[in-house]
Amino acid sequence: MIPRYSRPEMVAIWSPETKFRIWYEIEAHACDAMADLGVIPRENAEAVWKAKDVEFDVARIDEIEAVTKHDVIAFLTHLAEHVGSEEARFVHQGMTSSDVLDTCFNVQLVRAADILIEDTKGLLAALKRRAIEHKDTIRIGRSHGIHAEPTTMGLTFARFYAEMDRNLARLKTARAEISTGAISGAVGTFANIDPAVEEHVCKQLDLSPEPISTQVIPRDRHAAFFAALGVVASSIENVSTEIRHMQRTEVLEAAEFFSMGQKGSSAMPHKKNPVLTENLTGLARLVRMVVVPAMENVALWHERDISHSSVERNIGPDATITLDFALARLTSVIDKLLIYPDNMMANMNKFPGLVMSQRVLLALTQAGVNREDAYKMVQRNALKVWETECDFKSELLADEDVVKALGTEGIEEKFDLGYHTKHVDTIFKRVFG
């Protein structure tokens, strides 16, 4: 990803320097295990660790690869330059390139998942804080973009919290699924390397041995991992879309923080645009973009091909770097989000009392009016409010049929906002415990 949408800690996971360091650790730990088994001399295994503090020369490895046309061989050649040709002659004994590449890739994905999990925890903390802050802040709920019934801003934050909490569970599951390594040799039969080597290497890297690999770790694991990232991205867009709607001039129930010196438009000085959440909507598309290629990588020829390789070299860093940035940005947006309770109340009262129509409908049915007639009685008064913005309660009080069924006091009591918020505490207890 371009630096504009990147954060250093996640970028570092995907740097060539980090990759080669992981490759080196895989090879060195494998040598230790083979020495324990008596497959290679102990002194050769120990010699490999002479490079433990080496900063591998990326340019030199690229130079070698330009000749060999093979990245792992280029690295092994460069490693021998540091360790010594004779001392390094048992490095990669019985292994195949995918043992190094796949195990490294999964180490990187696990590290990336750890960052994403912490990012999500930070977002959850921000959402919870704002939910509690605005638990009782009344706003109109909308369906199809149209006023429906009263809710609270706290419930809006709470539902986003619950969604992100499910995403936290998804990320933890994805991390667990991708936490495997394979050092099983050509076509995965362990013909040239003992399974104990795989067990040792995986233990050193905090991975579990892949129960059965071919020449690669099965890609359904990776498909599930990237699918989880896609769901998280969709949730980010879900939150962002709500904020973008609330910031519309004719709504203005909430808005992104507008910093000192910030400019909204090159042409119109008055503009304060929801640029951060619009940006997040776009970034969510980029993360979701990797899901289908990851799923298409599952079907490889026989024990392996490398049709997945070029895809993963791109989607691994791109998806995790983008999602890391997006989660951090959304956390900042939520933390600083400006809330306008007065505007929320004004919007709800644009058509005075209209949002109480269902309560009146239910009261009429409970008073003995059949549902079809009750619906007609309420709707004929509601439509007047739509057309003239008159007061819904006044229209009901002037409707003889409604008054006959409910009485004046019966109509009056149906316009208490507290009716719609009486179970907020119950919902909060379900969400936050």
Side-chain angles (χ1 to χ4, degrees), residues 353-354 356-357 359-361 364 374 377-382 384-385 391-404 406-408 410-412 414-415:
L354 192 60
M356 301 299 185
S357 72
R359 194 175 180 200
V360 177
L361 170 64
L364 286 170
M377 291 163 64
V378 175
Q379 189 181 45
R380 72 190 179 211
N381 290 287
K384 293 177 185 178
V385 181
D391 182 77
F392 183 52
K393 182 170 68 173
S394 297
E395 293 302 312
L396 293 174
L397 290 169
D399 189 312
E400 294 181 0
D401 293 334
V402 178
V403 173
K404 180 179 179 181
L406 298 180
T408 300
I411 295 172
E412 291 278 359
K414 301 302 180 289
F415 288 81

PDB file of all heavy atoms in Angstrom, residues 353-354 356-357 359-361 364 374 377-382 384-385 391-404 406-408 410-412 414-415:
ATOM      1  N   GLY A 353     -45.034  14.536  16.048  1.00  0.00           N
ATOM      2  CA  GLY A 353     -45.769  13.408  16.617  1.00  0.00           C
ATOM      3  C   GLY A 353     -45.938  12.223  15.691  1.00  0.00           C
ATOM      4  O   GLY A 353     -46.417  11.162  16.118  1.00  0.00           O
ATOM      5  N   LEU A 354     -45.535  12.360  14.436  1.00  0.00           N
ATOM      6  CA  LEU A 354     -45.834  11.320  13.440  1.00  0.00           C
ATOM      7  C   LEU A 354     -45.213   9.973  13.803  1.00  0.00           C
ATOM      8  O   LEU A 354     -45.770   8.916  13.483  1.00  0.00           O
ATOM      9  CB  LEU A 354     -45.341  11.781  12.063  1.00  0.00           C
ATOM     10  CG  LEU A 354     -45.805  10.961  10.850  1.00  0.00           C
ATOM     11  CD1 LEU A 354     -47.326  10.968  10.754  1.00  0.00           C
ATOM     12  CD2 LEU A 354     -45.186  11.522   9.582  1.00  0.00           C
ATOM     13  N   MET A 356     -45.162   8.392  16.339  1.00  0.00           N
ATOM     14  CA  MET A 356     -45.920   7.608  17.314  1.00  0.00           C
ATOM     15  C   MET A 356     -47.057   6.819  16.671  1.00  0.00           C
ATOM     16  O   MET A 356     -47.919   6.265  17.357  1.00  0.00           O
ATOM     17  CB  MET A 356     -46.495   8.535  18.403  1.00  0.00           C
ATOM     18  CG  MET A 356     -45.437   9.324  19.158  1.00  0.00           C
ATOM     19  SD  MET A 356     -44.282   8.238  20.025  1.00  0.00           S
ATOM     20  CE  MET A 356     -43.295   9.445  20.919  1.00  0.00           C
ATOM     21  N   SER A 357     -47.075   6.745  15.369  1.00  0.00           N
ATOM     22  CA  SER A 357     -48.217   6.136  14.668  1.00  0.00           C
ATOM     23  C   SER A 357     -48.435   4.682  15.053  1.00  0.00           C
ATOM     24  O   SER A 357     -49.570   4.227  15.212  1.00  0.00           O
ATOM     25  CB  SER A 357     -48.043   6.259  13.156  1.00  0.00           C
ATOM     26  OG  SER A 357     -47.022   5.398  12.683  1.00  0.00           O
ATOM     27  N   ARG A 359     -47.749   3.159  17.856  1.00  0.00           N
ATOM     28  CA  ARG A 359     -48.306   3.021  19.199  1.00  0.00           C
ATOM     29  C   ARG A 359     -49.809   3.291  19.188  1.00  0.00           C
ATOM     30  O   ARG A 359     -50.581   2.618  19.894  1.00  0.00           O
ATOM     31  CB  ARG A 359     -47.601   3.981  20.162  1.00  0.00           C
ATOM     32  CG  ARG A 359     -47.923   3.620  21.596  1.00  0.00           C
ATOM     33  CD  ARG A 359     -47.191   4.428  22.613  1.00  0.00           C
ATOM     34  NE  ARG A 359     -47.584   3.976  23.946  1.00  0.00           N
ATOM     35  CZ  ARG A 359     -47.444   4.672  25.036  1.00  0.00           C
ATOM     36  NH1 ARG A 359     -46.902   5.882  25.000  1.00  0.00           N
ATOM     37  NH2 ARG A 359     -47.827   4.188  26.210  1.00  0.00           N
ATOM     38  N   VAL A 360     -50.228   4.277  18.397  1.00  0.00           N
ATOM     39  CA  VAL A 360     -51.662   4.567  18.287  1.00  0.00           C
ATOM     40  C   VAL A 360     -52.384   3.399  17.610  1.00  0.00           C
ATOM     41  O   VAL A 360     -53.476   2.982  18.031  1.00  0.00           O
ATOM     42  CB  VAL A 360     -51.896   5.876  17.510  1.00  0.00           C
ATOM     43  CG1 VAL A 360     -53.395   6.130  17.325  1.00  0.00           C
ATOM     44  CG2 VAL A 360     -51.230   7.049  18.224  1.00  0.00           C
ATOM     45  N   LEU A 361     -51.761   2.847  16.566  1.00  0.00           N
ATOM     46  CA  LEU A 361     -52.342   1.698  15.866  1.00  0.00           C
ATOM     47  C   LEU A 361     -52.562   0.535  16.834  1.00  0.00           C
ATOM     48  O   LEU A 361     -53.636  -0.079  16.864  1.00  0.00           O
ATOM     49  CB  LEU A 361     -51.414   1.270  14.718  1.00  0.00           C
ATOM     50  CG  LEU A 361     -51.738  -0.057  14.031  1.00  0.00           C
ATOM     51  CD1 LEU A 361     -53.087   0.011  13.320  1.00  0.00           C
ATOM     52  CD2 LEU A 361     -50.633  -0.437  13.051  1.00  0.00           C
ATOM     53  N   LEU A 364     -55.415   1.151  19.274  1.00  0.00           N
ATOM     54  CA  LEU A 364     -56.737   0.992  18.656  1.00  0.00           C
ATOM     55  C   LEU A 364     -57.123  -0.479  18.575  1.00  0.00           C
ATOM     56  O   LEU A 364     -58.266  -0.852  18.863  1.00  0.00           O
ATOM     57  CB  LEU A 364     -56.744   1.630  17.272  1.00  0.00           C
ATOM     58  CG  LEU A 364     -56.770   3.170  17.248  1.00  0.00           C
ATOM     59  CD1 LEU A 364     -56.526   3.678  15.834  1.00  0.00           C
ATOM     60  CD2 LEU A 364     -58.104   3.696  17.775  1.00  0.00           C
ATOM     61  N   ALA A 374     -58.277   0.070  12.018  1.00  0.00           N
ATOM     62  CA  ALA A 374     -57.362   0.858  12.839  1.00  0.00           C
ATOM     63  C   ALA A 374     -56.260   1.478  11.983  1.00  0.00           C
ATOM     64  O   ALA A 374     -55.901   2.650  12.161  1.00  0.00           O
ATOM     65  CB  ALA A 374     -56.753  -0.021  13.935  1.00  0.00           C
ATOM     66  N   MET A 377     -57.610   4.418  10.074  1.00  0.00           N
ATOM     67  CA  MET A 377     -57.843   5.566  10.944  1.00  0.00           C
ATOM     68  C   MET A 377     -56.547   6.312  11.244  1.00  0.00           C
ATOM     69  O   MET A 377     -56.490   7.548  11.220  1.00  0.00           O
ATOM     70  CB  MET A 377     -58.491   5.097  12.253  1.00  0.00           C
ATOM     71  CG  MET A 377     -59.934   4.589  12.076  1.00  0.00           C
ATOM     72  SD  MET A 377     -60.532   3.587  13.475  1.00  0.00           S
ATOM     73  CE  MET A 377     -60.513   4.794  14.790  1.00  0.00           C
ATOM     74  N   VAL A 378     -55.488   5.559  11.510  1.00  0.00           N
ATOM     75  CA  VAL A 378     -54.205   6.200  11.802  1.00  0.00           C
ATOM     76  C   VAL A 378     -53.604   6.796  10.531  1.00  0.00           C
ATOM     77  O   VAL A 378     -53.119   7.936  10.538  1.00  0.00           O
ATOM     78  CB  VAL A 378     -53.226   5.180  12.420  1.00  0.00           C
ATOM     79  CG1 VAL A 378     -51.844   5.805  12.615  1.00  0.00           C
ATOM     80  CG2 VAL A 378     -53.754   4.666  13.762  1.00  0.00           C
ATOM     81  N   GLN A 379     -53.658   6.063   9.449  1.00  0.00           N
ATOM     82  CA  GLN A 379     -52.994   6.530   8.231  1.00  0.00           C
ATOM     83  C   GLN A 379     -53.628   7.787   7.664  1.00  0.00           C
ATOM     84  O   GLN A 379     -52.924   8.672   7.165  1.00  0.00           O
ATOM     85  CB  GLN A 379     -52.986   5.418   7.177  1.00  0.00           C
ATOM     86  CG  GLN A 379     -52.115   5.767   5.956  1.00  0.00           C
ATOM     87  CD  GLN A 379     -52.120   4.684   4.914  1.00  0.00           C
ATOM     88  OE1 GLN A 379     -53.181   4.137   4.571  1.00  0.00           O
ATOM     89  NE2 GLN A 379     -50.938   4.366   4.391  1.00  0.00           N
ATOM     90  N   ARG A 380     -54.953   7.909   7.737  1.00  0.00           N
ATOM     91  CA  ARG A 380     -55.586   9.095   7.167  1.00  0.00           C
ATOM     92  C   ARG A 380     -55.145  10.360   7.896  1.00  0.00           C
ATOM     93  O   ARG A 380     -55.039  11.436   7.309  1.00  0.00           O
ATOM     94  CB  ARG A 380     -57.106   8.946   7.167  1.00  0.00           C
ATOM     95  CG  ARG A 380     -57.782   9.036   8.527  1.00  0.00           C
ATOM     96  CD  ARG A 380     -59.242   8.638   8.430  1.00  0.00           C
ATOM     97  NE  ARG A 380     -59.925   8.680   9.731  1.00  0.00           N
ATOM     98  CZ  ARG A 380     -60.923   7.882  10.061  1.00  0.00           C
ATOM     99  NH1 ARG A 380     -61.369   6.966   9.206  1.00  0.00           N
ATOM    100  NH2 ARG A 380     -61.499   7.990  11.251  1.00  0.00           N
ATOM    101  N   ASN A 381     -54.854  10.227   9.179  1.00  0.00           N
ATOM    102  CA  ASN A 381     -54.344  11.370   9.936  1.00  0.00           C
ATOM    103  C   ASN A 381     -52.848  11.576   9.702  1.00  0.00           C
ATOM    104  O   ASN A 381     -52.370  12.703   9.617  1.00  0.00           O
ATOM    105  CB  ASN A 381     -54.624  11.184  11.425  1.00  0.00           C
ATOM    106  CG  ASN A 381     -56.105  11.306  11.757  1.00  0.00           C
ATOM    107  OD1 ASN A 381     -56.657  12.400  11.732  1.00  0.00           O
ATOM    108  ND2 ASN A 381     -56.752  10.182  12.045  1.00  0.00           N
ATOM    109  N   ALA A 382     -52.128  10.470   9.569  1.00  0.00           N
ATOM    110  CA  ALA A 382     -50.685  10.564   9.327  1.00  0.00           C
ATOM    111  C   ALA A 382     -50.398  11.228   7.994  1.00  0.00           C
ATOM    112  O   ALA A 382     -49.460  12.034   7.874  1.00  0.00           O
ATOM    113  CB  ALA A 382     -50.057   9.167   9.374  1.00  0.00           C
ATOM    114  N   LYS A 384     -52.031  13.470   6.496  1.00  0.00           N
ATOM    115  CA  LYS A 384     -52.212  14.925   6.604  1.00  0.00           C
ATOM    116  C   LYS A 384     -50.935  15.584   7.131  1.00  0.00           C
ATOM    117  O   LYS A 384     -50.564  16.679   6.705  1.00  0.00           O
ATOM    118  CB  LYS A 384     -53.375  15.246   7.545  1.00  0.00           C
ATOM    119  CG  LYS A 384     -54.748  14.829   7.044  1.00  0.00           C
ATOM    120  CD  LYS A 384     -55.814  15.145   8.091  1.00  0.00           C
ATOM    121  CE  LYS A 384     -57.189  14.636   7.674  1.00  0.00           C
ATOM    122  NZ  LYS A 384     -58.211  14.908   8.733  1.00  0.00           N
ATOM    123  N   VAL A 385     -50.288  14.905   8.065  1.00  0.00           N
ATOM    124  CA  VAL A 385     -49.050  15.442   8.627  1.00  0.00           C
ATOM    125  C   VAL A 385     -47.960  15.465   7.558  1.00  0.00           C
ATOM    126  O   VAL A 385     -47.195  16.434   7.447  1.00  0.00           O
ATOM    127  CB  VAL A 385     -48.599  14.606   9.848  1.00  0.00           C
ATOM    128  CG1 VAL A 385     -47.327  15.184  10.450  1.00  0.00           C
ATOM    129  CG2 VAL A 385     -49.703  14.555  10.894  1.00  0.00           C
ATOM    130  N   ASP A 391     -49.755  18.925  13.301  1.00  0.00           N
ATOM    131  CA  ASP A 391     -49.449  18.113  14.471  1.00  0.00           C
ATOM    132  C   ASP A 391     -50.287  16.840  14.476  1.00  0.00           C
ATOM    133  O   ASP A 391     -51.525  16.892  14.431  1.00  0.00           O
ATOM    134  CB  ASP A 391     -49.706  18.934  15.737  1.00  0.00           C
ATOM    135  CG  ASP A 391     -49.353  18.153  16.990  1.00  0.00           C
ATOM    136  OD1 ASP A 391     -48.150  18.039  17.284  1.00  0.00           O
ATOM    137  OD2 ASP A 391     -50.291  17.665  17.664  1.00  0.00           O
ATOM    138  N   PHE A 392     -49.599  15.697  14.554  1.00  0.00           N
ATOM    139  CA  PHE A 392     -50.281  14.408  14.473  1.00  0.00           C
ATOM    140  C   PHE A 392     -51.254  14.216  15.633  1.00  0.00           C
ATOM    141  O   PHE A 392     -52.398  13.776  15.445  1.00  0.00           O
ATOM    142  CB  PHE A 392     -49.238  13.291  14.444  1.00  0.00           C
ATOM    143  CG  PHE A 392     -49.793  11.914  14.283  1.00  0.00           C
ATOM    144  CD1 PHE A 392     -50.685  11.607  13.252  1.00  0.00           C
ATOM    145  CD2 PHE A 392     -49.424  10.893  15.143  1.00  0.00           C
ATOM    146  CE1 PHE A 392     -51.177  10.317  13.092  1.00  0.00           C
ATOM    147  CE2 PHE A 392     -49.915   9.605  14.996  1.00  0.00           C
ATOM    148  CZ  PHE A 392     -50.793   9.319  13.967  1.00  0.00           C
ATOM    149  N   LYS A 393     -50.818  14.554  16.819  1.00  0.00           N
ATOM    150  CA  LYS A 393     -51.688  14.382  17.981  1.00  0.00           C
ATOM    151  C   LYS A 393     -52.951  15.232  17.855  1.00  0.00           C
ATOM    152  O   LYS A 393     -54.060  14.766  18.175  1.00  0.00           O
ATOM    153  CB  LYS A 393     -50.933  14.738  19.271  1.00  0.00           C
ATOM    154  CG  LYS A 393     -51.771  14.526  20.533  1.00  0.00           C
ATOM    155  CD  LYS A 393     -50.929  14.654  21.789  1.00  0.00           C
ATOM    156  CE  LYS A 393     -50.442  16.066  22.001  1.00  0.00           C
ATOM    157  NZ  LYS A 393     -49.763  16.229  23.312  1.00  0.00           N
ATOM    158  N   SER A 394     -52.809  16.459  17.362  1.00  0.00           N
ATOM    159  CA  SER A 394     -53.975  17.335  17.191  1.00  0.00           C
ATOM    160  C   SER A 394     -54.952  16.745  16.197  1.00  0.00           C
ATOM    161  O   SER A 394     -56.183  16.832  16.382  1.00  0.00           O
ATOM    162  CB  SER A 394     -53.521  18.718  16.724  1.00  0.00           C
ATOM    163  OG  SER A 394     -52.709  19.333  17.708  1.00  0.00           O
ATOM    164  N   GLU A 395     -54.424  16.161  15.130  1.00  0.00           N
ATOM    165  CA  GLU A 395     -55.298  15.546  14.132  1.00  0.00           C
ATOM    166  C   GLU A 395     -56.050  14.358  14.727  1.00  0.00           C
ATOM    167  O   GLU A 395     -57.243  14.169  14.462  1.00  0.00           O
ATOM    168  CB  GLU A 395     -54.470  15.098  12.916  1.00  0.00           C
ATOM    169  CG  GLU A 395     -53.856  16.222  12.118  1.00  0.00           C
ATOM    170  CD  GLU A 395     -54.894  17.201  11.604  1.00  0.00           C
ATOM    171  OE1 GLU A 395     -55.909  16.734  11.037  1.00  0.00           O
ATOM    172  OE2 GLU A 395     -54.702  18.425  11.782  1.00  0.00           O
ATOM    173  N   LEU A 396     -55.372  13.562  15.534  1.00  0.00           N
ATOM    174  CA  LEU A 396     -56.034  12.423  16.167  1.00  0.00           C
ATOM    175  C   LEU A 396     -57.130  12.888  17.127  1.00  0.00           C
ATOM    176  O   LEU A 396     -58.211  12.290  17.190  1.00  0.00           O
ATOM    177  CB  LEU A 396     -55.004  11.571  16.915  1.00  0.00           C
ATOM    178  CG  LEU A 396     -53.966  10.836  16.057  1.00  0.00           C
ATOM    179  CD1 LEU A 396     -52.932  10.165  16.947  1.00  0.00           C
ATOM    180  CD2 LEU A 396     -54.632   9.798  15.139  1.00  0.00           C
ATOM    181  N   LEU A 397     -56.824  13.947  17.878  1.00  0.00           N
ATOM    182  CA  LEU A 397     -57.807  14.472  18.829  1.00  0.00           C
ATOM    183  C   LEU A 397     -59.026  15.058  18.128  1.00  0.00           C
ATOM    184  O   LEU A 397     -60.109  15.182  18.736  1.00  0.00           O
ATOM    185  CB  LEU A 397     -57.158  15.531  19.727  1.00  0.00           C
ATOM    186  CG  LEU A 397     -56.142  15.000  20.740  1.00  0.00           C
ATOM    187  CD1 LEU A 397     -55.379  16.151  21.388  1.00  0.00           C
ATOM    188  CD2 LEU A 397     -56.836  14.149  21.812  1.00  0.00           C
ATOM    189  N   ALA A 398     -58.869  15.398  16.847  1.00  0.00           N
ATOM    190  CA  ALA A 398     -59.993  15.938  16.076  1.00  0.00           C
ATOM    191  C   ALA A 398     -60.728  14.856  15.296  1.00  0.00           C
ATOM    192  O   ALA A 398     -61.727  15.127  14.632  1.00  0.00           O
ATOM    193  CB  ALA A 398     -59.478  17.018  15.115  1.00  0.00           C
ATOM    194  N   ASP A 399     -60.241  13.625  15.389  1.00  0.00           N
ATOM    195  CA  ASP A 399     -60.847  12.502  14.662  1.00  0.00           C
ATOM    196  C   ASP A 399     -61.814  11.788  15.603  1.00  0.00           C
ATOM    197  O   ASP A 399     -61.411  11.146  16.577  1.00  0.00           O
ATOM    198  CB  ASP A 399     -59.744  11.547  14.191  1.00  0.00           C
ATOM    199  CG  ASP A 399     -60.272  10.475  13.248  1.00  0.00           C
ATOM    200  OD1 ASP A 399     -61.298   9.845  13.568  1.00  0.00           O
ATOM    201  OD2 ASP A 399     -59.633  10.264  12.197  1.00  0.00           O
ATOM    202  N   GLU A 400     -63.109  11.895  15.314  1.00  0.00           N
ATOM    203  CA  GLU A 400     -64.136  11.352  16.204  1.00  0.00           C
ATOM    204  C   GLU A 400     -63.988   9.850  16.406  1.00  0.00           C
ATOM    205  O   GLU A 400     -64.210   9.344  17.519  1.00  0.00           O
ATOM    206  CB  GLU A 400     -65.531  11.669  15.649  1.00  0.00           C
ATOM    207  CG  GLU A 400     -65.868  13.146  15.638  1.00  0.00           C
ATOM    208  CD  GLU A 400     -67.264  13.406  15.094  1.00  0.00           C
ATOM    209  OE1 GLU A 400     -67.944  12.409  14.728  1.00  0.00           O
ATOM    210  OE2 GLU A 400     -67.669  14.586  15.033  1.00  0.00           O
ATOM    211  N   ASP A 401     -63.612   9.131  15.351  1.00  0.00           N
ATOM    212  CA  ASP A 401     -63.497   7.671  15.464  1.00  0.00           C
ATOM    213  C   ASP A 401     -62.360   7.287  16.415  1.00  0.00           C
ATOM    214  O   ASP A 401     -62.504   6.355  17.227  1.00  0.00           O
ATOM    215  CB  ASP A 401     -63.244   7.054  14.094  1.00  0.00           C
ATOM    216  CG  ASP A 401     -64.433   7.212  13.158  1.00  0.00           C
ATOM    217  OD1 ASP A 401     -65.557   7.330  13.668  1.00  0.00           O
ATOM    218  OD2 ASP A 401     -64.222   7.222  11.930  1.00  0.00           O
ATOM    219  N   VAL A 402     -61.253   8.008  16.322  1.00  0.00           N
ATOM    220  CA  VAL A 402     -60.110   7.709  17.194  1.00  0.00           C
ATOM    221  C   VAL A 402     -60.443   8.068  18.634  1.00  0.00           C
ATOM    222  O   VAL A 402     -60.158   7.305  19.564  1.00  0.00           O
ATOM    223  CB  VAL A 402     -58.854   8.461  16.715  1.00  0.00           C
ATOM    224  CG1 VAL A 402     -57.676   8.181  17.663  1.00  0.00           C
ATOM    225  CG2 VAL A 402     -58.480   8.071  15.289  1.00  0.00           C
ATOM    226  N   VAL A 403     -61.051   9.245  18.820  1.00  0.00           N
ATOM    227  CA  VAL A 403     -61.410   9.682  20.172  1.00  0.00           C
ATOM    228  C   VAL A 403     -62.414   8.716  20.795  1.00  0.00           C
ATOM    229  O   VAL A 403     -62.324   8.383  21.985  1.00  0.00           O
ATOM    230  CB  VAL A 403     -61.973  11.111  20.153  1.00  0.00           C
ATOM    231  CG1 VAL A 403     -62.513  11.498  21.526  1.00  0.00           C
ATOM    232  CG2 VAL A 403     -60.922  12.097  19.691  1.00  0.00           C
ATOM    233  N   LYS A 404     -63.354   8.256  20.010  1.00  0.00           N
ATOM    234  CA  LYS A 404     -64.361   7.315  20.512  1.00  0.00           C
ATOM    235  C   LYS A 404     -63.702   6.027  21.008  1.00  0.00           C
ATOM    236  O   LYS A 404     -64.112   5.452  22.032  1.00  0.00           O
ATOM    237  CB  LYS A 404     -65.363   7.004  19.402  1.00  0.00           C
ATOM    238  CG  LYS A 404     -66.459   6.036  19.832  1.00  0.00           C
ATOM    239  CD  LYS A 404     -67.435   5.777  18.680  1.00  0.00           C
ATOM    240  CE  LYS A 404     -68.514   4.789  19.105  1.00  0.00           C
ATOM    241  NZ  LYS A 404     -69.454   4.508  17.991  1.00  0.00           N
ATOM    242  N   LEU A 406     -60.311   5.598  21.848  1.00  0.00           N
ATOM    243  CA  LEU A 406     -59.234   5.738  22.835  1.00  0.00           C
ATOM    244  C   LEU A 406     -59.511   6.760  23.918  1.00  0.00           C
ATOM    245  O   LEU A 406     -58.924   6.681  25.000  1.00  0.00           O
ATOM    246  CB  LEU A 406     -57.915   6.113  22.124  1.00  0.00           C
ATOM    247  CG  LEU A 406     -57.360   5.112  21.105  1.00  0.00           C
ATOM    248  CD1 LEU A 406     -56.071   5.645  20.499  1.00  0.00           C
ATOM    249  CD2 LEU A 406     -57.125   3.754  21.747  1.00  0.00           C
ATOM    250  N   GLY A 407     -60.366   7.730  23.626  1.00  0.00           N
ATOM    251  CA  GLY A 407     -60.579   8.828  24.554  1.00  0.00           C
ATOM    252  C   GLY A 407     -59.437   9.826  24.458  1.00  0.00           C
ATOM    253  O   GLY A 407     -58.344   9.515  23.969  1.00  0.00           O
ATOM    254  N   THR A 408     -59.689  11.032  24.948  1.00  0.00           N
ATOM    255  CA  THR A 408     -58.680  12.090  24.862  1.00  0.00           C
ATOM    256  C   THR A 408     -57.420  11.722  25.633  1.00  0.00           C
ATOM    257  O   THR A 408     -56.297  11.861  25.124  1.00  0.00           O
ATOM    258  CB  THR A 408     -59.251  13.404  25.400  1.00  0.00           C
ATOM    259  OG1 THR A 408     -60.388  13.781  24.629  1.00  0.00           O
ATOM    260  CG2 THR A 408     -58.212  14.514  25.320  1.00  0.00           C
ATOM    261  N   GLY A 410     -56.420   8.816  26.452  1.00  0.00           N
ATOM    262  CA  GLY A 410     -55.795   7.660  25.810  1.00  0.00           C
ATOM    263  C   GLY A 410     -54.910   8.071  24.651  1.00  0.00           C
ATOM    264  O   GLY A 410     -53.867   7.445  24.400  1.00  0.00           O
ATOM    265  N   ILE A 411     -55.326   9.105  23.924  1.00  0.00           N
ATOM    266  CA  ILE A 411     -54.503   9.620  22.831  1.00  0.00           C
ATOM    267  C   ILE A 411     -53.286  10.352  23.383  1.00  0.00           C
ATOM    268  O   ILE A 411     -52.151  10.147  22.927  1.00  0.00           O
ATOM    269  CB  ILE A 411     -55.336  10.546  21.925  1.00  0.00           C
ATOM    270  CG1 ILE A 411     -56.452   9.755  21.227  1.00  0.00           C
ATOM    271  CG2 ILE A 411     -54.434  11.236  20.894  1.00  0.00           C
ATOM    272  CD1 ILE A 411     -57.434  10.604  20.467  1.00  0.00           C
ATOM    273  N   GLU A 412     -53.494  11.189  24.370  1.00  0.00           N
ATOM    274  CA  GLU A 412     -52.418  12.008  24.946  1.00  0.00           C
ATOM    275  C   GLU A 412     -51.259  11.137  25.434  1.00  0.00           C
ATOM    276  O   GLU A 412     -50.091  11.450  25.198  1.00  0.00           O
ATOM    277  CB  GLU A 412     -52.954  12.850  26.106  1.00  0.00           C
ATOM    278  CG  GLU A 412     -53.923  13.958  25.711  1.00  0.00           C
ATOM    279  CD  GLU A 412     -53.214  15.215  25.225  1.00  0.00           C
ATOM    280  OE1 GLU A 412     -51.958  15.215  25.223  1.00  0.00           O
ATOM    281  OE2 GLU A 412     -53.924  16.172  24.849  1.00  0.00           O
ATOM    282  N   LYS A 414     -50.140   8.452  24.472  1.00  0.00           N
ATOM    283  CA  LYS A 414     -49.389   7.707  23.450  1.00  0.00           C
ATOM    284  C   LYS A 414     -48.224   8.516  22.886  1.00  0.00           C
ATOM    285  O   LYS A 414     -47.524   8.045  21.994  1.00  0.00           O
ATOM    286  CB  LYS A 414     -50.333   7.298  22.295  1.00  0.00           C
ATOM    287  CG  LYS A 414     -51.508   6.424  22.731  1.00  0.00           C
ATOM    288  CD  LYS A 414     -51.026   5.154  23.397  1.00  0.00           C
ATOM    289  CE  LYS A 414     -52.172   4.271  23.849  1.00  0.00           C
ATOM    290  NZ  LYS A 414     -52.912   4.807  25.014  1.00  0.00           N
ATOM    291  N   PHE A 415     -47.989   9.702  23.406  1.00  0.00           N
ATOM    292  CA  PHE A 415     -46.943  10.565  22.860  1.00  0.00           C
ATOM    293  C   PHE A 415     -45.799  10.796  23.860  1.00  0.00           C
ATOM    294  O   PHE A 415     -45.109  11.804  23.808  1.00  0.00           O
ATOM    295  CB  PHE A 415     -47.553  11.892  22.389  1.00  0.00           C
ATOM    296  CG  PHE A 415     -48.361  11.732  21.141  1.00  0.00           C
ATOM    297  CD1 PHE A 415     -49.674  11.265  21.214  1.00  0.00           C
ATOM    298  CD2 PHE A 415     -47.814  12.003  19.902  1.00  0.00           C
ATOM    299  CE1 PHE A 415     -50.420  11.081  20.054  1.00  0.00           C
ATOM    300  CE2 PHE A 415     -48.555  11.822  18.746  1.00  0.00           C
ATOM    301  CZ  PHE A 415     -49.855  11.356  18.813  1.00  0.00           C
TER     302      PHE A 415
END
